[in-house]
Amino acid sequence: MDSSVTAPLYRDITDFAHDMPSWVQHLAEIWTELGLLVFGVLFITGWWRARNQGDGALALAVLAPVATAFGYVASEVLKSVVDEERPCRSVVGAAASLVTCPPTGDWSFPSNHSAIAGAAAVALAIARPRLAWLTVPMALLMAFSRVFVGVHYPHDVAVGLLLGAVVSAVVVAVLRRPAQSLARTVRSSRAPVAAWASGPGEAPAGRSRHRAKRH
């Protein structure tokens, strides 16, 4: 991968990072890892919420982390093919990275963090469209933070975001119906664990109306 095209932009961003107050730098260092945890929390809350919804909602909630995992695997496969050295080690004249530069062999292209963020943002937005206003900015901010702290080129994070988003969308599209069928099957199981994991599902319309009249 020819990194010379985005190396000047990398220098500009890392110089900008060093001009920022220390608290901004620390926030970026924290967010570059904490963002993954936030996506994990959104997966869990989405699944818990979907336990009281229809089979389709449960299927999408369960597929979200699965699709994200596929996005990560795709980025890891591409990373093993393209041996691009980290910019914090190879860009001459660039400011020092804010975090420890990964060792040689932990290649730069594409950014795994960005691929995970892009995949998670899309999968969660498909499962819960109203979350797009949150997940998309989160993914973009995480991708930018990887350049900001000095461990990736801009093209690493751009390709990572795109790759993760595309793979995630394809996985959800392909597995949506089988996952919905599986959710229906699990909900019909008498096993306590299955009942707890899948939840009661959506209350019948008649029951909901009846409750509304009583109240």
Side-chain angles (χ1 to χ4, degrees):
M1 186 74 184
D2 184 9
S3 58
S4 62
V5 177
T6 60
L9 181 56
Y10 169 82
R11 293 192 191 94
D12 291 341
I13 294 175
T14 51
D15 285 344
F16 170 72
H18 277 267
D19 289 338
M20 289 290 100
S22 59
W23 65 269
V24 175
Q25 297 175 357
H26 291 319
L27 280 178
E29 293 173 28
I30 294 171
W31 175 249
T32 194
E33 300 296 342
L34 182 62
L36 298 179
L37 179 60
V38 175
F39 277 121
V41 170
L42 290 175
F43 288 147
I44 295 173
T45 56
W47 156 71
W48 189 258
R49 178 175 178 269
R51 291 171 72 253
N52 295 309
Q53 297 179 326
D55 298 336
L58 179 62
L60 289 177
V62 172
L63 277 178
V66 173
T68 300
F70 272 92
Y72 165 73
V73 171
S75 70
E76 191 63 27
V77 170
L78 184 55
K79 187 187 287 285
S80 67
V81 174
V82 182
D83 298 344
E84 178 187 77
E85 188 58 89
R86 296 276 180 167
C88 43
R89 185 173 292 106
S90 61
V91 177
V92 179
S97 59
L98 298 181
V99 298
T100 303
C101 191
T104 299
D106 185 352
W107 306 116
S108 189
F109 179 87
S111 164
N112 284 343
H113 282 71
S114 300
I116 293 172
V122 167
L124 286 167
I126 294 174
R128 298 173 62 184
R130 292 181 180 179
L131 276 184
W133 68 269
L134 175 63
T135 62
V136 172
M138 277 177 55
L140 293 174
L141 186 58
M142 177 172 288
F144 178 76
S145 73
R146 300 304 288 167
V147 183
F148 187 89
V149 300
V151 295
H152 277 292
Y153 289 101
H155 66 266
D156 295 339
V157 301
V159 172
L161 278 173
L162 182 61
L163 177 64
V166 170
V167 170
S168 181
V170 170
V171 169
V172 171
V174 171
L175 297 182
R176 187 169 186 167
R177 286 189 177 180
Q180 185 170 343
S181 177
L182 178 61
R184 189 178 304 113
T185 300
V186 172
R187 277 180 167 163
S188 66
S189 172
R190 295 184 179 181
V193 174
W196 175 83
S198 61
E202 198 170 31
R207 184 185 302 176
S208 299
R209 286 194 295 269
H210 178 66
R211 287 178 177 176
K213 289 179 181 179
R214 289 179 59 187
H215 290 289

